[in-house]
Amino acid sequence: MQLSPLSKIILDTREFLVKRDDLIDPYLAGNKYRKLYTLLQTPKELYHTIISYGGTQSNAMLAIAAMCRQKGWNFIYYSKPLSRQQRENTLGNFATALALGMTHHEIEHELYRDFIASLRLNLDEKIFILDQGGAVTEAKEGLEVLADELREQLREHKDIQSLATPSGTGTTAYFLALALPEYRIYTTPSVGDVSYLKEQMLALGKLPKNLHILESKKKYHFAKPYPEFYEMYQKLKSGGIEFDLLYAPLMWQTLLEQTDERILYIHSGGVSGNASMLPRYKNIDKGILK
Ligand SMILES: *Cc1c(COP(=O)(O)O)cnc(C)c1O
């Protein structure tokens, strides 16, 4: 594959570089492509089925569905029961993943935890289980490949010593910081607070010294629509690049507020999820957000 390109974007008179991992593929892009890299390199014959679980708007779910389609693997995905609105939504990641061949099963709330824990019992060796949000230890290799690309591309941009990427589980930021010790890596928690993010990262190993977790002043709940996120999304879009509505706006907001050096932002993908998020912003001007 060719390297994903770098673009420039100007925000509040500051110029940023953006690593365009969003352009890798419509569905299998951003950090999910990087995290699935090892599995993507695996010979097809090794598995016949991939099993995963989690939310039905998940970008990881869609990326796994696209990978399985490419590989000819079955993809079984478990979630808690869907709301009627989710079931009927014909736009967004869930509908697309189903169209790509994903088999979906709903598990009752009371049974969910035990059910997920039991997935690893009696496992066929041709079945691979991916934990929620995508591979964890398997993500390391793909992020090393990203690190090599960045090192190469940044040779022409010696003024850049800081990179940024938003966190959910923190897997991406963690392995990126590990693979690029000569750069400062900024991230911000989108799910939970800084201590929760650190806890997740500590499960992967010692925290790299070059990893800087920035915390926004205001508390945000994951996947809720906030007017300032929508504004940031539009500002970025008029700067020429579409970003996701769940992770990117907060990372950008924090960078603008809390940093002042030249920064390269690694686009983490997720634009496909906007189809189901944007309608939730439709009433934004009327002040009715659900
Ligand atoms: C999954 C995702 C993240 C979070 O990645 P982690 O490795 O879980 O921290 C960030 N941005 C987008 C767009 C994502 O889809």
Side-chain angles (χ1 to χ4, degrees):
M1 200 196 75
Q2 280 189 313
L3 308 197
S4 71
L6 301 186
S7 300
K8 287 181 179 160
I9 189 167
I10 296 178
L11 287 175
D12 298 355
T13 72
R14 274 174 77 181
E15 188 187 88
F16 293 86
L17 286 183
V18 179
K19 171 74 168 159
R20 301 300 304 277
D21 274 4
D22 55 316
L23 301 178
I24 292 171
D25 178 271
Y27 307 133
L28 186 43
N31 65 7
K32 302 306 180 293
Y33 167 80
R34 304 293 180 181
K35 287 161 86 170
L36 293 173
Y37 182 83
T38 302
L39 267 174
L40 276 161
Q41 306 303 311
T42 303
K44 312 187 169 32
E45 300 70 37
L46 225 56
Y47 303 113
H48 56 63
T49 300
I50 306 292
I51 296 178
S52 191
Y53 57 93
T56 50
Q57 295 309 325
S58 151
N59 296 322
M61 171 196 72
L62 178 62
I64 299 166
M67 171 182 74
C68 289
R69 174 75 167 227
Q70 248 181 57
K71 289 286 194 180
W73 293 332
N74 302 312
F75 176 32
I76 303 174
Y77 194 74
Y78 297 101
S79 75
K80 291 178 183 167
L82 295 182
S83 67
R84 217 183 90 202
Q85 193 195 4
Q86 283 172 314
R87 203 184 307 281
E88 290 170 359
N89 201 341
T90 54
L91 295 171
N93 290 350
F94 184 59
T96 312
L98 289 174
L100 288 168
M102 174 178 81
T103 304
H104 172 242
H105 297 292
E106 294 168 60
I107 307 296
E108 289 303 326
H109 291 274
E110 316 78 81
L111 305 175
Y112 189 77
R113 249 184 97 109
D114 288 346
F115 179 84
I116 298 306
S118 74
L119 283 175
R120 289 186 193 275
L121 305 172
N122 304 317
L123 208 59
D124 179 325
E125 60 179 24
K126 292 209 155 195
I127 299 179
F128 189 90
I129 301 202
L130 263 167
D131 280 317
Q132 177 155 6
V136 176
T137 43
E138 290 83 0
K140 190 166 187 258
E141 192 189 352
L143 286 152
E144 285 166 358
V145 174
L146 171 61
D148 288 342
E149 288 186 22
L150 286 167
R151 237 183 230 119
E152 159 108 30
Q153 289 172 310
L154 284 172
R155 268 196 268 157
E156 288 167 36
H157 300 277
K158 296 262 190 256
D159 54 332
I160 291 197
Q161 257 121 52
S162 302
L163 315 178
T165 197
S167 279
T169 62
T171 314
T172 304
Y174 180 88
F175 285 122
L176 192 71
L178 215 57
L180 285 172
E182 68 272 42
Y183 289 94
R184 173 190 292 244
I185 309 293
Y186 286 120
T187 193
T188 190
S190 309
V191 183
D193 58 7
V194 172
S195 60
Y196 177 74
L197 179 60
K198 280 193 178 154
E199 206 179 292
Q200 303 246 84
M201 287 175 164
L202 282 168
L204 303 172
K206 231 177 79 190
L207 289 188
K209 286 207 172 54
N210 57 328
L211 181 63
H212 296 258
I213 303 177
L214 302 176
E215 186 167 39
S216 62
K217 282 170 219 119
K218 182 175 160 183
K219 289 259 165 291
Y220 293 99
H221 295 280
F222 186 61
K224 261 185 75 172
Y226 293 96
E228 57 268 43
F229 284 8
Y230 187 61
E231 262 169 49
M232 184 60 77
Y233 164 83
Q234 286 188 314
K235 197 154 120 176
L236 291 159
K237 207 171 167 194
S238 39
I241 307 178
E242 184 170 10
F243 286 86
D244 80 284
L245 277 155
L246 301 184
Y247 299 92
L250 182 60
M251 182 80 244
W252 279 109
Q253 183 183 307
T254 330
L255 288 177
L256 289 174
E257 285 172 4
Q258 301 183 26
T259 69
D260 53 16
E261 76 267 42
R262 292 261 291 151
I263 291 174
L264 177 143
Y265 185 105
I266 298 148
H267 199 309
S268 49
V271 176
S272 58
N274 292 348
S276 54
M277 264 316 273
L278 281 169
R280 299 174 64 194
Y281 278 102
K282 245 189 357 215
N283 293 325
I284 202 147
D285 298 328
K286 297 179 214 151
I288 333 168
L289 280 184
K290 302 195 274 192

